[in-house]
């Protein structure tokens, strides 16, 4: 696992966008793993610019999102389907909706929906690159502390910390869904390459823990220590170590 301090959030986001762009540019059949959340907003803004400037044709690219809230329709403004349309897919008309995979949070049979999602991931994957944010409690996707490292796509209960953190996007805390469908930790670990992006002072503690901890299900992101190709990209604010700040 490598840690790279890009100094500020603009540089960090540009780096992640450029790495995604290079994968799409090198392979028109690429499969990529996507995340949502505040951290990714500038990544997608930069990626849209790169895609347009270089006239990429994305019709054969497959995308897999990490998660979706249970109970939110794809058109709900806070659903991750809406987020992805607004931040990425609406910016280029060569994305093919048949190749865009986001868990279905309103499926009548959620267990079947999870199995189907994992099957699609196995059929088109492994993804060439997976981008991740990190929760203040160490979650990746919505794999909360205690999640099994063997987990695949499934329904998860959101922790209080996640509900609190995400309540800024809803009218109040009560409106935040209590469950989500999340790609599992074993599903995420199949990616060929993983870039985790952490920005801002609110991520400093968890990045410190992540870099120094043992591999434990209490800190889901710690599994990344066992993956052969992981970069942790941070800005100064998310950096705990003076050495990394100076040398970043
Ligand atoms: C989102 C996701 C989550 C977020 C994490 C950080 O698809 O899977 O793990 O990456 O909660 O969220 P932000 O970026 O809003 O701090």
């Amino acid at each position: 696992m490598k840690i790279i301090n890009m100094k500020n959030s603009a540089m960090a986001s540009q780096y992640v966008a450029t790495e995604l762009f290079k994968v799409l540019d090198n392979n028109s059949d690429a499969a990529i793993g996507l995340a949502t959340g505040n951290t990714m907003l500038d990544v997608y803004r930069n990626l849209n610019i790169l895609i347009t400037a270089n006239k990429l044709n994305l019709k054969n690219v497959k995308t897999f999102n990490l998660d979706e809230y249970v109970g939110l329709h794809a058109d709900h403004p806070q659903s991750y389907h809406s987020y992805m349309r607004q931040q990425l897919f609406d910016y280029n008309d060569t994305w093919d909706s048949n190749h865009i995979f986001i868990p279905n949070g309103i499926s009548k049979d959620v267990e079947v929906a999870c199995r189907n999602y994992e099957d699609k991931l196995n059929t088109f994957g492994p993804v060439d690159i997976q981008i991740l944010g990190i929760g203040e409690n160490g979650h990746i996707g919505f794999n909360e502390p205690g999640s099994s490292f063997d987990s695949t796509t499934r329904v998860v209960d959101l922790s209080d910390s996640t509900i609190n953190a995400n309540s800024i996007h809803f009218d109040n805390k009560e409106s935040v869904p209590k469950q989500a469908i999340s790609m599992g930790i074993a599903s995420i670990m199949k990616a060929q390459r993983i870039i985790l992006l952490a920005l801002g002072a609110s991520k400093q503690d968890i990045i410190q823990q992540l870099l120094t901890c043992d591999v434990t299900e209490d800190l889901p992101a710690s599994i990344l220590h066992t993956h052969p190709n992981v970069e942790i990209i941070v800005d100064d604010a998310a950096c705990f170590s003076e050495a990394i700040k100076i040398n970043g």
Side-chain angles (χ1 to χ4, degrees), residues 25-129:
D25 190 38
N26 286 338
N27 178 7
S28 59
D29 284 324
I32 59 174
L34 301 175
T36 59
N38 289 338
T39 311
M40 298 301 157
L41 291 172
D42 270 354
V43 172
Y44 294 134
R45 197 177 54 75
N46 290 316
L47 180 59
N48 291 329
I49 293 168
L50 288 166
I51 287 171
T52 305
N54 295 286
K55 299 188 177 59
L56 286 197
N57 187 328
L58 304 161
K59 68 178 166 47
N60 292 323
V61 170
K62 285 87 188 167
T63 70
F64 286 89
N65 264 81
L66 287 166
D67 36 31
E68 178 58 284
Y69 290 114
V70 168
L72 294 198
H73 193 274
D75 290 334
H76 189 286
Q78 306 314 332
S79 74
Y80 288 159
H81 281 77
S82 293
Y83 173 107
M84 290 308 301
R85 280 195 304 273
Q86 285 162 16
Q87 306 306 329
L88 185 64
F89 299 131
D90 283 354
Y91 282 87
N92 190 287
D93 59 13
T94 69
W95 292 109
D96 180 346
S97 58
N98 294 315
H99 296 159
I100 291 173
F101 300 103
I102 305 177
N104 176 3
I106 53 149
S107 172
K108 288 210 172 64
D109 192 335
V110 188
E111 303 301 326
V112 172
C114 291
R115 271 203 305 280
N116 289 343
Y117 197 76
E118 194 68 27
D119 286 348
K120 284 277 185 293
L121 197 55
N122 288 329
T123 304
F124 293 117
V127 295
D128 298 282
I129 186 168

Side-chain angles (χ1 to χ4, degrees), residues 212-230:
T212 52
C213 70
D214 293 334
V215 176
T216 164
E217 290 178 350
D218 292 338
L219 200 169
S222 68
I223 189 68
L224 299 176
H225 283 288
T226 69
H227 190 286
N229 194 358
V230 175

Side-chain angles (χ1 to χ4, degrees), residues 2 4 6 12 15-16 195-199 231-235:
K2 299 180 188 69
I4 304 173
M6 300 298 295
Y15 173 80
V16 178
I195 300 182
L196 184 151
L197 177 62
L199 303 174
E231 288 162 77
I232 310 293
I233 305 297
V234 293
D235 61 1

